[in-house]
Amino acid sequence: MKTRKVLALAGVTLLAAGVLAACSGGSATKGEQTFAFTYETDPDNLNYLTTGKAATADITSNVIDGLLENDKYGNLIPSMAEDWSVSKDGLTYTYKIRQDAKWYTSEGEEYAPVKAQDFVTGLKYATDKKSEGLYLVQDSIKGLDAYAKGENKDFSQVGIKALDDQTVQYTLNKPESFWNSKTTMGVLAPVNEEFLNSKGDDFAKATDPSSILYNGPYLLKSIVTKSTVEFAKNPNYWDKDNVHIDKVKLSFWDGQDTSKPAENFKDGSLSAARLYPTSASFAELEKEMKDNIVYTQQDSTTYVVGTNIDRQSYKYTSKTSEEQKTSTKKALLNKDFRQAIAFGFDRTAYASQLNGQTGASKILRNIFVPPTFVQADGKNFGELVKEKLVTYGDEWKDVNLADAQDGLYNPEKSKAEFAKAKSALQAEGVTFPIHLDMPVDQTATTKVQRVQSMKQSLEATLGTDNVIIDIQQLQKDEVLNVTLFAQTAAGEDWDLSDNVGWGPDFSDPSTYLDIIKPSVGENTRTYLGFDSGKDNEAAKKVGLNDYDKMVNEAGEETTDVTKRYNKYAEAQAWLTDSALVIPTTSRTGRPILSKMVPFTLPFSFSGNKGTSDPLRYKYLELQDKAVTADEYQKAQDKWMKEKEESNKKAQEELAKHVK
């Protein structure tokens, strides 16, 4: 599976953790408000219960509510559940469903109340349909793993019960301090059984708003492929006073004309626009609107370069012989070769193709799990990882894993690692140069420029007599079909790919590190080119079984958070040293023009209801004029102070829910 947080490499997506929350200067707009923005990828369905793709979730998260949601400070607050409690042993969570929660049709007509049974129906459907998000809860909810595997065919034996119309209860296998952060995800969302059965195979069709019911702040009004997506405020929503935008209109943008979003913002066609400092028009734009260019904060989404260690398809390739295919496969199985790629890749130059030289460092990331994602024992996660990483060799002693700087690029290290790799590979009969295919959307200018930049730095460092990056410029749909949308490993037609990223589903390092476990990882094919659970020989050769063991041991530590995070840091250190997944950038940290009142959006580093994944419209407010950099900075400072106080108070309140 590919959870909703597997993301196509962004060309336009912009809004960030912390782009918006507290008041800023500028007057709010009056009358009916429309938020106009762009989108890049059409959804292949509207099935929020089973999808693993951001293209769907960016739509459905605005129209479907789960038990809890995030406020503007990142706290989990009531949504469909007006209250909740957890047993003292941490195994039983009980939620009270609000009585004013209703299902509506796409026309806004009331269909039925939202009941506790809808959550039971939703989870059963998601499991029966092998939801791409099932991994989130399969090992968490008592009996669900056995049901999913067909070992038990009675869903009533699974640890989810509707105690009455307003009470749903979950029983877990072991305590999860982060359980509530999972409740914002689609796999735990409700569905009305009568409606579901009436639709049959037509449930949640990609371009049909009437194929789902709505219990959230917006109604989906229309989807026109590669054209527009339109929403309207749900007038009967239980929390409609916190829905300030009346209409949302998203226009398709293919990423080709990078000056277009800014021009559309200036002429009033867009409410926010992602800027491209490398575009020919940026210098003039900077002169005209310098005071309004704002760099958003880095979020928790990590984009990566994946390495296909078991490639099977060669439809899109520059290789001309079986010998070249075999040589590339053997090279990618060699850790020293992969490290040569990791150290020889100039990420600053790569990021500058999107963010310009001034902003390049603002989006750089060096480890898969963001270094500040969690903290333990007075240290952030990146510091814990560094302590483990230095034990792997001298090449890691002077590496800085902090965000917003390139801690890995080092041509001398790259050459040294390559020399070791070449000697070993030649002994295996490998011929050079190694040809590495990289697919890219040919219509997205900045994506092509990024891949070209990577090619340039690697070939300059290692020499074209050793390594050649063969860029495969394809149509957008072709790229998606052989990367993000590939249904099996056999469809992953590439050697290196920078086409996907990962955003966390819940507040624990496992949300990143579990997904590439060779035993049950749900995205091994997306990042590494093999299907998990099939005892893959390539996975064994690169040592992923050791990684699997590390991640499992970390997951078994459920009572001591410090020990748990240290064990996950050991797994991240192994992953970094392996150079199997090479981090590049965050999703945000990029320049924008915006009329969104800063810091009015919900915030979260994880889950489905915060701004680490952009475009959640509830709570959003607009102002008449473009936000200035000064307004944004003042709002951010105010928000940071308020957030610290709010989070502390929310943590203290948690004890009241233990019963």
Side-chain angles (χ1 to χ4, degrees), residues 337-347 406 408-415 417 453-462 582:
F337 179 83
R338 297 192 305 271
Q339 284 191 353
I341 299 296
F343 287 130
F345 170 24
D346 186 345
R347 287 165 192 73
D406 190 346
L408 297 181
Y409 179 51
N410 189 310
E412 294 308 311
K413 287 184 183 179
S414 176
K415 292 173 183 177
E417 295 303 325
S453 172
M454 182 176 181
K455 172 183 172 70
Q456 182 177 3
S457 62
L458 283 173
E459 292 180 356
T461 297
L462 299 175
I582 304 171

Side-chain angles (χ1 to χ4, degrees), residues 249-526:
K249 182 174 181 179
L250 308 180
S251 301
F252 180 77
W253 182 61
D254 63 9
Q256 195 162 6
D257 181 359
T258 54
S259 65
K260 185 176 180 180
E263 292 301 318
N264 287 346
F265 178 84
K266 289 194 297 179
D267 69 20
S269 302
L270 293 180
S271 307
R274 169 78 183 90
L275 305 181
Y276 291 83
T278 59
S279 67
S281 60
F282 185 76
E284 189 64 31
L285 177 71
E286 192 173 29
K287 290 179 183 178
E288 180 183 354
M289 304 195 71
K290 185 175 182 179
D291 292 341
N292 300 106
I293 295 176
V294 172
Y295 281 88
T296 63
Q297 299 183 63
Q298 282 188 272
D299 67 347
S300 53
T301 293
T302 302
Y303 286 107
V304 304
V305 172
T307 59
N308 192 335
I309 59 174
D310 192 23
R311 185 175 177 182
Q312 301 170 51
S313 300
Y314 292 91
K315 180 179 179 182
Y316 303 110
T317 185
S318 296
K319 296 178 177 63
T320 57
S321 67
E322 290 300 317
E323 182 180 39
Q324 287 185 353
K325 295 176 184 177
T326 300
S327 292
T328 299
K329 278 192 173 185
K330 288 182 178 180
L332 289 174
L333 291 174
N334 183 287
K335 184 176 79 168
D336 293 325
F337 179 83
R338 297 192 305 271
Q339 284 191 353
I341 299 296
F343 287 130
F345 170 24
D346 186 345
R347 287 165 192 73
T348 303
Y350 175 89
S352 71
Q353 307 307 313
L354 176 68
N355 241 31
Q357 292 185 351
T358 301
S361 64
K362 298 180 185 295
I363 58 174
L364 293 178
R365 175 154 295 151
N366 297 289
I367 53 177
F368 193 34
V369 182
T372 59
F373 186 61
V374 294
Q375 294 76 37
D377 200 23
K379 300 175 182 178
N380 67 42
F381 190 73
E383 292 172 309
L384 299 178
V385 174
K386 180 62 182 293
E387 291 174 356
K388 323 297 184 195
L389 188 58
V390 294
T391 66
Y392 281 94
D394 291 343
E395 65 267 31
W396 298 111
K397 287 185 178 178
D398 59 349
V399 168
N400 185 348
L401 301 179
D403 274 346
Q405 54 85 45
D406 190 346
L408 297 181
Y409 179 51
N410 189 310
E412 294 308 311
K413 287 184 183 179
S414 176
K415 292 173 183 177
E417 295 303 325
F418 184 81
K420 290 188 288 184
K422 188 169 186 177
S423 177
L425 290 169
Q426 284 178 328
E428 296 180 39
V430 168
T431 58
F432 291 82
I434 301 299
H435 284 264
L436 298 164
D437 293 313
M438 285 194 72
V440 65
D441 176 2
Q442 64 187 15
T443 64
T445 305
T446 61
K447 294 179 184 179
V448 174
Q449 291 170 339
R450 275 175 274 182
V451 175
Q452 288 172 336
S453 172
M454 182 176 181
K455 172 183 172 70
Q456 182 177 3
S457 62
L458 283 173
E459 292 180 356
T461 297
L462 299 175
T464 53
D465 54 332
N466 289 316
V467 171
I468 294 176
I469 305 298
D470 291 315
I471 299 173
Q472 306 297 322
Q473 295 198 34
L474 311 176
Q475 294 293 329
K476 182 184 184 73
D477 290 343
E478 291 176 319
V479 174
L480 290 172
N481 288 338
V482 299
T483 56
L484 182 64
F485 291 167
Q487 296 300 305
T488 65
E492 301 285 352
D493 194 359
W494 48 272
D495 295 314
L496 298 178
S497 172
D498 70 341
N499 286 286
V500 293
W502 181 259
D505 295 312
F506 51 91
S507 303
D508 187 71
S510 60
T511 187
Y512 293 90
L513 300 176
D514 277 355
I515 67 167
I516 50 174
K517 288 163 56 176
S519 57
V520 293
E522 305 298 346
N523 286 279
T524 54
R525 68 173 175 267
T526 307

